[in-house]
Amino acid sequence: MAPPSHAMQYLLPIIAMGNFAAGLTSRVIDPVVPQISEQLAVNITTAATLASASAIAFAFVQLPLGMVADLFGKPKVILTCLIVLGIANIVGSYTDSFELLLATRVICGLGAGGVFPVAMGLTGDLFPVEKRRVAMSRIMAGALTGNLLGASFSGVLGDLFGWRGVLSILGSFILVMSLAVAWGFRNQLTLPGKPVNPKLIAANYRRILSHPNAHVCYLGVFVEGICIFGMLPYVASFLADLGEPRLSIAGLVIGGYAVGGLFYAATVTRLLARFGDNALMVLGAIFISSQIAIIAFGPPWQVQFVNFVVMGCGFYLIHGGFQVFTSEIAPDARASAVSLQAFCFNCGQFSGPLLYGFGLTFIGKVPTLLTAAALLLSVGILCAKLLRHRHPPDIGPKDKPASP
């Protein structure tokens, strides 16, 4: 393990750059969907499935890649996934078939899905628990900035070079970032992996799921995914009901969420020193639930932009706590534990729109959003109360010294 100060100097920025490169991929297709629709002779609805295909692949690759990262080394997996991601984007730029383009987007989802959660596990390896939340906030900031700039990057380049130019430039940039990762982790990349032992893999997952913090963290992020991200597909229709039909305004409002995340990354060091992990989780739950409740009553879009800024900050306040506690569950199988958390979170994101749709149809907007706010507040406070640092951060339960 590299000393934290040494890691801070250059390893952490390298991991953050890798996350930034992978984060660009998530929203890069959205602005160029009309171009793809026209050039590949498919309708808009069909072309829009490209983004969904990446998201589904991103979610379901978490579990196997976490296990692979623990066996063969996290830097190796991050580097491999970045190379696959870069090549898949470039290959996609040359396809003349929608089906082939769809296949490359699935591969991009698989590649991106192997970068962020494994990077969080790697950060947990490099930093002790008292510095881990700050370090993880830098990693999240990289991914979040990529998510925030991906659509803008694609829109500008799409006007200049078309969707093929967008994918080829993005793929080339990701490959350059993979070179930085290869250089930064050149020593770790030569280390031998662990032998593949199915019994050990099964034992790791049993140990992860038997840890007192595991069910709390995984349930917490699942509820986060439902209550927060389940609402996002309905923001445009909520604004349209208020007389604001412009999709650009809906995008701006939702973009406030990323702005709040960047504010969190800039202030987390001071907040953590003053409040601690558990108190920040409660504060985050209060932030999010209060903003969802305000949105329920339909304020103007300018107010809703502020609501999303506060909500974005609140999400990372609570989610950062879940990530820190998850990183402690099984230090020698950290990527598996973090990837399992990412899987639960993505399952919440998939379930959320369906549950919101059911609520909006049968009980209406205000009751649905107030229910989501109350659920998130209750779960957030309960999880913050139950989560504890159960053992030294870098010693697994089986490795704890015996009592004299």
Side-chain angles (χ1 to χ4, degrees):
M1 180 184 298
S5 59
H6 181 59
M8 269 289 191
Q9 289 176 8
Y10 75 94
L11 290 183
L12 189 63
I14 287 174
I15 300 172
M17 286 192 298
N19 266 346
F20 171 75
L24 285 172
T25 302
S26 63
R27 301 260 66 91
V28 76
I29 284 293
D30 294 350
V32 295
V33 163
Q35 288 185 352
I36 294 173
S37 171
E38 180 181 354
Q39 294 184 21
L40 298 185
V42 296
N43 60 44
I44 289 287
T45 303
T46 301
T49 61
L50 293 169
S52 299
S54 296
I56 293 171
F58 183 100
F60 284 95
V61 78
Q62 306 297 325
L63 295 181
L65 277 186
M67 175 189 67
V68 170
D70 284 328
L71 287 174
F72 297 104
K74 300 177 187 69
K76 293 178 183 177
V77 170
I78 293 173
L79 177 60
T80 302
C81 287
L82 283 174
I83 293 172
V84 168
L85 184 58
I87 293 174
N89 274 290
I90 293 173
V91 170
S93 71
Y94 288 97
T95 58
D96 292 318
S97 159
F98 177 79
E99 290 75 17
L100 290 177
L101 180 59
L102 181 65
T104 64
R105 298 318 296 171
V106 170
I107 295 172
C108 284
L110 297 175
V115 175
F116 180 73
V118 178
M120 298 303 286
L122 179 59
T123 306
D125 291 344
L126 293 172
F127 293 87
V129 67
E130 65 272 12
K131 297 183 179 180
R132 195 170 293 160
R133 183 190 265 261
V134 175
M136 287 181 169
S137 75
R138 305 293 186 258
I139 301 303
M140 287 191 290
L144 191 64
T145 304
N147 289 335
L148 181 62
L149 294 181
S152 302
F153 162 90
S154 176
V156 172
L157 292 183
D159 285 336
L160 295 173
F161 306 109
W163 67 270
R164 297 181 188 278
V166 170
L167 294 184
S168 61
I169 293 171
L170 174 62
S172 300
F173 175 74
I174 291 172
L175 290 178
V176 171
M177 290 298 101
S178 71
L179 294 177
V181 171
W183 176 82
F185 290 94
R186 57 195 180 279
N187 295 327
Q188 291 87 338
L189 291 172
T190 59
L191 297 176
K194 301 176 183 177
V196 178
N197 184 340
K199 292 183 179 179
L200 177 61
I201 294 170
N204 281 342
Y205 276 112
R206 283 197 300 270
R207 183 155 53 90
I208 289 168
L209 294 174
S210 66
H211 193 282
N213 286 343
H215 295 154
V216 179
C217 289
Y218 297 153
L219 173 63
V221 297
F222 177 70
V223 172
E224 279 183 329
I226 292 174
C227 294
I228 302 171
F229 290 90
M231 182 179 67
L232 298 187
Y234 300 99
V235 171
S237 63
F238 291 163
L239 293 173
D241 291 341
L242 298 175
E244 181 48 80
R246 291 176 291 177
L247 296 181
S248 59
I249 296 299
L252 177 63
V253 168
I254 296 173
Y257 183 91
V259 174
L262 294 176
F263 178 79
Y264 161 81
T267 59
V268 62
T269 303
R270 293 189 293 274
L271 291 172
L272 186 61
R274 182 167 183 177
F275 296 103
D277 283 315
N278 298 73
L280 288 184
M281 293 179 69
V282 173
L283 186 62
I286 293 171
F287 278 12
I288 300 168
S289 59
S290 62
Q291 302 314 297
I292 294 176
I294 293 171
I295 291 170
F297 294 99
W301 71 263
Q302 295 90 339
V303 175
Q304 293 199 37
F305 173 79
V306 177
N307 295 150
F308 271 87
V309 171
V310 177
M311 194 186 307
C313 182
F315 168 74
Y316 287 100
L317 286 171
I318 186 172
H319 194 70
F322 284 131
Q323 287 177 322
V324 168
F325 283 107
T326 299
S327 73
E328 297 176 32
I329 288 174
D332 57 338
R334 188 170 276 129
S336 296
V338 174
S339 294
L340 185 56
Q341 183 200 56
F343 174 76
C344 293
F345 180 60
N346 279 278
C347 286
Q349 291 193 65
F350 288 139
S351 306
L354 299 176
L355 294 173
Y356 266 92
F358 181 86
L360 293 170
T361 300
F362 292 101
I363 64 175
K365 174 186 173 182
V366 173
T368 297
L369 267 65
L370 291 181
T371 299
L375 175 62
L376 185 64
L377 179 62
S378 301
V379 170
I381 292 175
L382 178 63
C383 289
K385 182 177 180 180
L386 293 175
L387 288 171
R388 293 290 180 270
H389 296 295
R390 305 282 179 173
H391 52 73
D394 294 310
I395 299 178
K398 290 185 176 181
D399 303 319
K400 286 168 58 175
S403 300

